[in-house]
Amino acid sequence: MITVKSLEIHVSYHCNLSCKGCSHMTPLEKEKFIDESDVYDTLKILSKYLHCEVIRLIGGEPTLNRNLASIAKNIKEINIADKIAIATNGIFIDKIQEDVLKNVDIFEISNYHYSEHLTNKIINWAKNVKEKYNIKTYIYMYEYFRESISYLKNEDTDLIKKIYDTCIVSHDWQCFNVFEGYFFKCPQAMAISRNIENNYMDTNGIKIEDDSNLEDRLYEYINDDKPLKACSYCLGTVGNFIELTQISRDKYKDLASDEIKELVDYEFLEKNLEKSTGDMFTVEKVIEI
Ligand code: SF4
Ligand code: SF4
């Protein structure tokens, strides 16, 4: 049995925000929700070979999905994870139904706005759900994003390898994704396969099929020291800082069309190459409730 830190499920493809630099390429997504029975079948197969500390319901924005309570409950019953978390931008936090709260252990709230009103709303909500449902909340106060993806393919194999080697998302945080029957190392590999590489799911991910080789295939894929094809379009965790800002959805593509080599924070890349783990330094502080 393979044990990993986390698995992420995109319960909503779309989002109520459209952030410049969104590493899930969500601003390109039309309104769509997961196919629930498909994801349960996939997780049931996967649970025979892999266990995770936390399964995270993400998006897009997960709270846009009205079936969140039954999704959380059904996923919990599959028993693939010790805990279940929801990662949200927090805007609709006070609209979350009791049925959802009864089936979730952790909320991870990315506060991109840093507005006092939203922050206070989230803190008060978190105190309340801690008391009533024993839910733990982490509020990440973002100061910046980093450049994440470019439509222009990086042809510099040395730079691609360095970006991959320093990528905290896949190596350290283990933000593994299950998406439409595939297992991915990171949400970026899924998003790039979907939006740039024209559905190269098989190249960048592992098809989850119940065969005796699945555990070996997953183990090799997770531990492979060769970058994915998707890494040629990705900045990993070493892109230049960008300000937190909202953009029109049709602008997202234009903004993601600079060459990767122009978007790398080289000083940070070199620092991260010197040590085994890095950080992104985009979160100013974390409030734990
Ligand atoms: S809140 Fe912003 S960064 Fe998060 S999924 Fe939505 S658009 Fe992307
Ligand atoms: S595509 Fe490659 S560099 Fe980008 S997050 Fe995934 S593993 Fe890291």
Side-chain angles (χ1 to χ4, degrees):
M1 177 72 74
I2 299 171
T3 306
V4 299
K5 284 185 186 165
S6 69
L7 262 190
E8 299 181 337
I9 313 290
H10 298 254
V11 296
S12 315
Y13 289 35
H14 57 299
C15 188
N16 54 325
L17 295 181
S18 176
C19 301
K20 182 181 173 186
C22 172
S23 62
H24 298 188
M25 303 186 84
T26 297
L28 300 178
E29 297 288 350
K30 296 195 173 67
E31 181 174 320
K32 191 173 174 190
F33 301 103
I34 50 160
D35 179 327
E36 290 174 42
S37 64
D38 183 58
V39 88
Y40 303 146
D41 290 347
T42 304
L43 288 177
K44 277 178 199 158
I45 295 172
L46 197 57
S47 68
K48 296 184 195 171
Y49 309 100
L50 181 138
H51 191 81
C52 58
E53 289 169 23
V54 61
I55 196 155
R56 193 176 287 126
L57 308 185
I58 63 166
E61 173 49 41
T63 61
L64 295 174
N65 192 320
R66 293 198 183 151
N67 292 342
L68 206 49
S70 63
I71 293 170
K73 187 169 178 288
N74 290 332
I75 287 181
K76 215 168 188 179
E77 282 168 7
I78 294 171
N79 206 18
I80 189 170
D82 298 334
K83 293 196 185 303
I84 186 156
I86 291 180
T88 164
N89 59 37
I91 292 177
F92 300 130
I93 201 75
D94 48 358
K95 308 257 183 316
I96 292 178
Q97 310 269 317
E98 199 179 5
D99 282 0
V100 177
L101 301 173
K102 283 180 183 163
N103 287 293
V104 171
D105 305 293
I106 301 165
F107 271 79
E108 297 172 346
I109 303 177
S110 297
N111 188 348
Y112 301 128
H113 301 272
Y114 224 11
S115 91
E116 215 177 311
H117 173 72
L118 181 62
T119 306
N120 288 340
K121 177 170 101 169
I122 293 170
I123 290 173
N124 289 336
W125 174 89
K127 285 180 180 162
N128 191 29
V129 297
K130 165 113 185 159
E131 201 179 303
K132 276 196 184 157
Y133 304 97
N134 198 25
I135 290 175
K136 190 155 184 104
T137 302
Y138 298 91
I139 307 167
Y140 299 98
M141 309 296 283
Y142 274 81
E143 200 173 15
Y144 301 101
F145 268 2
R146 283 188 181 271
E147 295 279 7
S148 58
I149 285 170
S150 171
Y151 270 82
L152 293 186
K153 188 174 183 189
N154 182 2
E155 304 285 356
D156 181 340
T157 49
D158 186 44
L159 181 57
I160 295 169
K161 179 77 167 90
K162 286 180 175 175
I163 290 173
Y164 177 66
D165 286 348
T166 56
C167 177
I168 312 164
V169 179
S170 56
H171 304 314
D172 187 17
W173 297 338
Q174 297 193 322
C175 298
F176 301 141
N177 276 231
V178 169
F179 186 86
E180 294 186 356
Y182 284 81
F183 179 95
F184 290 97
K185 271 185 197 195
C186 51
Q188 286 87 331
M190 175 281 291
I192 290 166
S193 301
R194 208 169 139 68
N195 294 295
I196 301 182
E197 295 196 316
N198 213 6
N199 278 327
Y200 275 120
M201 307 289 235
D202 284 314
T203 319
N204 290 311
I206 293 280
K207 191 155 177 53
I208 300 169
E209 286 169 329
D210 199 359
D211 63 62
S212 55
N213 291 328
L214 182 59
E215 187 168 343
D216 291 344
R217 288 194 291 129
L218 285 167
Y219 185 85
E220 273 171 38
Y221 172 78
I222 290 170
N223 293 296
D224 196 349
D225 61 2
K226 287 193 298 302
L228 299 170
K229 199 161 173 279
C231 302
S232 312
Y233 299 91
C234 188
L235 274 299
T237 38
V238 293
N240 283 327
F241 280 128
I242 50 173
E243 278 186 34
L244 294 177
T245 179
Q246 295 296 298
I247 51 163
S248 68
R249 284 163 202 270
D250 51 1
K251 277 272 178 314
Y252 181 89
K253 236 177 183 169
D254 298 346
L255 289 168
S257 58
D258 286 329
E259 288 204 45
I260 296 271
K261 65 179 181 200
E262 307 294 335
L263 302 174
V264 174
D265 181 341
Y266 286 97
E267 200 182 322
F268 189 57
L269 171 65
E270 291 307 323
K271 268 190 201 155
N272 282 345
L273 282 169
E274 285 165 17
K275 50 186 185 173
S276 56
T277 56
D279 200 339
M280 281 183 85
F281 298 115
T282 48
V283 173
E284 198 204 350
K285 66 175 173 178
V286 182
I287 303 171
E288 207 177 314
I289 293 170

